[in-house]
Amino acid sequence: MGILQGKKILITGVLTDTSIAFQVARLAQEEGADIVLTSFGRAMSITQRIAGRLPKPAPVLELDVTNDEHLATLATRVKEHLSHLDGVVHSIGFAPESALGGKFLSTEWPDVATALQVSAYSYKSLTMACKPLFPQSGASVVGMDFDAQVAWPKYDWMGVAKAALESTSRYLARDLGKEDIRINLVAAGPIRTMAAKSIPGFDEFENVWNTRSPLHWDVTDPVPAAKAAVALLSDWFPKTTAEIIHVDGGLHGMGA
């Protein structure tokens, strides 16, 4: 039996089979979970096509995390496929082009607000939209993060949004712990995903990582981060919450 045998899990952010979210979905199924995926807009057809590469078919529900109606009806729509939810994976992040690439000092508030809403506030809104489906025995919510302890080249307001995500995770853990709902993040090293390609200067991350990380880091391999997410979704971390698990080859612990 797999470590997620019988678990019901909602997974966001599956766009390509090179993404961490796709590998979480694949591993979750292989470990015995039933899953639903979410996508929205023009990406829906992409997610539906990529879902065909999973070990088993998975329904794809429409969810724009900035759309109040989508959030309000999510639990009802999930129940058409799954009786409840034991886990949720938040793999959502976006910042307008003006908020990245060295434009930190000139980015206008509306674009900053978009980055914060989509990348950080949505962690709370998605969790609360799914909460009616969590059993009394509790649930696990796992978000995908990029270490926000330091300022990164060209990452700009997305870095600020990730810092907000990390703080949001701690406050969610504080307020939902009494209901045995665990809230954790996986801070992955750089992965050459579709999202990464939209970050100007991403190659600067690639070039520096292996010069500083004690363990070899492969920017083409999302599986290590996905395995951490699956472990957090399982019952093997029953008393871990408000935590950030670093899967970055150890770079976060190294000095300059």
Side-chain angles (χ1 to χ4, degrees), residues 35 42 45-46 73 80-81 88 95 106 111 123-124 153 155 169 185 189 196 198 204 218 232-233 235 244:
I35 67 172
R42 290 179 293 179
S45 60
I46 299 173
T73 61
E80 295 175 5
H81 304 278
V88 175
S106 60
D111 287 344
Y123 196 42
K124 191 278 292 189
Y155 208 45
S169 181
L185 297 174
S198 68
E204 294 183 36
D218 183 353
L232 287 168
L233 290 166
D235 294 331
I244 301 172

Side-chain angles (χ1 to χ4, degrees), residues 1-7 28-33 235-236:
M1 284 177 47
I3 62 171
L4 296 184
Q5 193 65 42
K7 299 285 189 186
Q29 286 188 335
E30 291 177 355
E31 292 296 328
D235 294 331
W236 285 93

Side-chain angles (χ1 to χ4, degrees), residues 131-152:
K131 187 173 177 289
L133 296 177
F134 294 162
Q136 287 189 340
S137 56
S140 174
V141 181
V142 180
M144 302 312 304
D145 185 25
F146 190 75
D147 196 338
Q149 296 178 90
V150 297
W152 296 104

